[in-house]
Amino acid sequence: DAKTTQPTSMDCAEGRAANLPCNHSTISGNEYVYWYRQIHSQGPQYIIHGLKNNETNEMASLIITEDRKSSTLILPHATLRDTAVYYCIVRVATGSNYKLTFGKGTLLTVNP
Amino acid sequence: NAGVTQTPKFQVLKTGQSMTLQCAQDMNHEYMSWYRQDPGMGLRLIHYSVGAGITDQGEVPNGYNVSRSTTEDFPLRLLSAAPSQTSVYFCASRTGTNYGYTFGSGTRLTVV
């Protein structure tokens, strides 16, 4: 699976948009980009994933560059409860089976 | 709908003891996985299953056994606990290729 690079930490003001970048310059054409987050001491939580097109759900938006070498997770109106470690993961599907490899992620701190 | 339930939440073992970490999901998910999380290491895959009766090894399978006799349950067995197995263990499940994993709240294991 392609490796990902994320900043170690970021800050965001409450109510503002949080934009979390991820570089995955070695991504292959059949690899998806997944985002998870982990609030302190809890299990990781799935946020969103995409292949080529931008995606949006009730939690966040995922913007993938045209060359797919990087992506940005956007939390449109960050709250204090969004403080967590955010993981960007690239995974390849082998049939219906795939594994996720978690890196160290980005610690997002939302400040009041 | 309880999601993914892990028991116990906390456990202290002596070196050489054996135990089983329980994981159950009520979402009829085919795919289940066990991860361990150590400080500074991210999550590492121990074992996974793509359906009842089918299991396979992940990155760090040594010292652990799994079985999948039903869709709902995926227990992780520590055969002879070692201090190196002190960690937080997460169980996760998903359905289909294009969905994210749902994680349990974790079991915090200390081996002394």
Side-chain angles (χ1 to χ4, degrees):
Chain A
D1 294 344
K3 290 195 66 174
T4 61
T5 304
Q6 299 178 252
T8 302
S9 63
M10 295 182 62
D11 287 323
C12 177
E14 187 178 20
R16 303 296 295 269
N19 297 282
L20 291 93
C22 179
N23 282 322
H24 31 79
S25 58
T26 61
I27 194 170
S28 299
N30 62 347
E31 290 184 314
Y32 288 77
V33 180
Y34 275 72
W35 283 84
Y36 283 76
R37 72 180 183 183
Q38 188 172 24
I39 297 169
H40 182 62
S41 297
Q42 298 182 19
Q45 177 187 23
Y46 165 77
I47 302 173
I48 199 167
H49 74 281
L51 181 63
K52 296 180 182 178
N53 300 320
N54 298 337
E55 303 287 344
T56 295
N57 63 20
E58 66 278 4
M59 290 184 67
S61 295
L62 174 61
I63 309 298
I64 303 174
T65 58
E66 194 169 341
D67 63 6
R68 303 208 324 119
K69 294 182 183 299
S70 66
S71 60
T72 301
L73 179 75
I74 301 173
L75 307 179
H77 305 286
T79 70
L80 299 179
R81 289 175 294 181
D82 292 322
T83 293
V85 176
Y86 287 78
Y87 298 98
C88 169
I89 302 164
V90 171
R91 67 95 175 165
V92 60
T94 305
S96 60
N97 184 24
Y98 68 84
K99 304 170 216 180
L100 296 177
T101 300
F102 287 78
K104 296 187 178 181
T106 297
L107 173 61
L108 173 69
T109 302
V110 180
N111 300 305
Chain B
N1 189 332
V4 177
T5 302
Q6 292 185 238
T7 56
K9 293 190 183 302
F10 301 92
Q11 183 70 49
V12 178
L13 285 180
K14 293 183 179 179
T15 297
Q17 286 185 317
S18 63
M19 80 159 293
T20 299
L21 280 60
Q22 301 292 343
C23 176
Q25 52 92 7
D26 60 358
M27 298 171 284
N28 202 32
H29 285 176
E30 305 97 317
Y31 306 95
M32 297 186 74
S33 299
W34 275 102
Y35 288 85
R36 60 177 288 175
Q37 186 172 32
D38 304 303
M41 296 289 289
L43 284 88
R44 292 183 291 170
L45 181 65
I46 305 172
H47 285 285
Y48 65 97
S49 169
V50 300
I54 306 169
T55 63
D56 206 346
Q57 297 181 349
E59 302 172 63
V60 288
N62 292 338
Y64 308 95
N65 275 356
V66 292
S67 60
R68 184 95 180 272
S69 56
T70 67
T71 299
E72 295 78 18
D73 299 299
F74 191 42
L76 178 72
R77 297 183 187 84
L78 279 70
L79 307 173
S80 177
S84 60
Q85 294 178 305
T86 293
S87 188
V88 181
Y89 291 84
F90 290 103
C91 178
S93 73
R94 67 172 173 90
T95 184
T97 302
N98 217 23
Y99 294 86
Y101 272 98
T102 298
F103 281 79
S105 58
T107 293
R108 283 147 185 82
L109 176 68
T110 302
V111 183
V112 297

